[in-house]
Amino acid sequence: MDNLDRQQEHPKLDTSNYIVRSRLWADRDLRHRNLGTDLIEHPHSSEILAEINGGKLLMVDSRRRNGLILIKGFHAEFAGPGAAVGGAFDADSQQAIPVGDFCFVCPLSPAERQKAFGIRRHWLRLTEQLTAKSVAVERAQMILTQFEQYFDSETVVQIPDEALALLIGVFPQTIRAARQIDN
């Protein structure tokens, strides 16, 4: 059997309709059928930041308990499930901290992109509501409570104090104090 026969038996697959996942323990990508969306999982925050700074509009997978804390110059933003990330919005991101079972999804249609923009605004408004409290330690307790209600407490413990502090405009020491109060 020559090469031409082999090519006819096994035609190249169109991988644009597959999920691509990468794990720390995996040397190769695993591909699974998924109705027209590309799912990109990243084990390292530097890889996530590279995707975001690449200018491509992505969104946080809405089918998982996950999110992304984007550290900007003087503040941070949380993008939860379904929220748009990347593109022109996050070009000024300096660090990306994945929370939970994190992965991206590439929105394919204008309707998906529009919905992702609305969801990003929703997450920003929720964070803004937490910052309405004038007492810093109350804001810190509220952000911890909100994250623990959505994620498990083991996940919240892994989020750096500095990242949570930048989300709600307090010092990292205030987050540490709120964690001790909760314990």
Side-chain angles (χ1 to χ4, degrees), residues 29-73:
D29 293 336
L30 301 174
R31 300 181 193 279
H32 301 280
R33 196 88 168 128
N34 188 35
L35 305 171
T37 60
D38 293 331
L39 190 67
I40 307 165
E41 227 178 270
H42 296 284
H44 300 293
S45 61
S46 61
E47 291 177 14
I48 295 168
L49 192 60
E51 285 282 339
I52 291 169
N53 289 337
K56 187 175 182 181
L57 181 70
L58 302 164
M59 65 185 205
V60 177
D61 185 9
S62 62
R63 297 170 296 182
R64 296 180 181 209
R65 285 195 181 271
N66 69 141
L68 187 64
I69 298 175
L70 295 163
I71 307 295
K72 309 256 178 146

Side-chain angles (χ1 to χ4, degrees), residues 97-98 100 152-161 179:
I97 301 170
D152 56 60
S153 58
E154 293 170 6
T155 301
V156 177
V157 166
Q158 295 174 8
I159 302 171
D161 294 340
R179 287 188 200 258

Side-chain angles (χ1 to χ4, degrees), residues 106-122:
C106 298
L108 299 178
S109 70
E112 260 187 325
R113 287 190 286 276
Q114 190 71 25
K115 183 178 179 184
F117 293 140
I119 293 172
R120 176 72 180 264
R121 264 195 331 266
H122 169 76

